[in-house]
Amino acid sequence: GVVSYRFYVSWNKNAGSGTHSVQLISQTTSDVLVTMNVVNGRNITTGTLPAFYQDQLRSVKLQAKSTVSTDDPIFYGARLYYK
């Protein structure tokens, strides 16, 4: 079954000084699929899917934040691969 993922995010901190992070969470619950800190350029993380995501079709949403409220980062895109 489907048990592993690779998550790719293209990001630009746009001179921001905070720590930026993104996460994928379930559209209907608070279940988190993956969370990672991001820097300028390509960011990739891999891992094992949590049990509640394995072998299921789920809608997810992307959330992003910075530790500095005045940061204005640029999000170029994201991809989620799983197998």
Side-chain angles (χ1 to χ4, degrees), residues 7 9 11-14 16-25 32 34-40 43 61-75:
F7 182 45
V9 176
W11 192 261
N12 182 335
K13 288 184 74 167
N14 197 22
S17 60
T19 300
H20 297 187
S21 62
V22 296
Q23 69 178 7
L24 288 177
I25 66 168
V32 176
V34 60
T35 300
M36 74 171 168
N37 289 339
V38 291
V39 295
N40 286 331
N43 299 268
K61 60 185 174 182
L62 179 73
Q63 291 183 332
K65 69 176 183 176
S66 173
T67 56
V68 175
S69 64
T70 56
D71 281 357
D72 190 20
I74 301 168
F75 169 73

Side-chain angles (χ1 to χ4, degrees), residues 53-65:
Y53 281 99
Q54 292 182 9
D55 296 320
Q56 296 185 35
L57 180 61
R58 294 253 187 151
S59 295
V60 294
K61 60 185 174 182
L62 179 73
Q63 291 183 332
K65 69 176 183 176

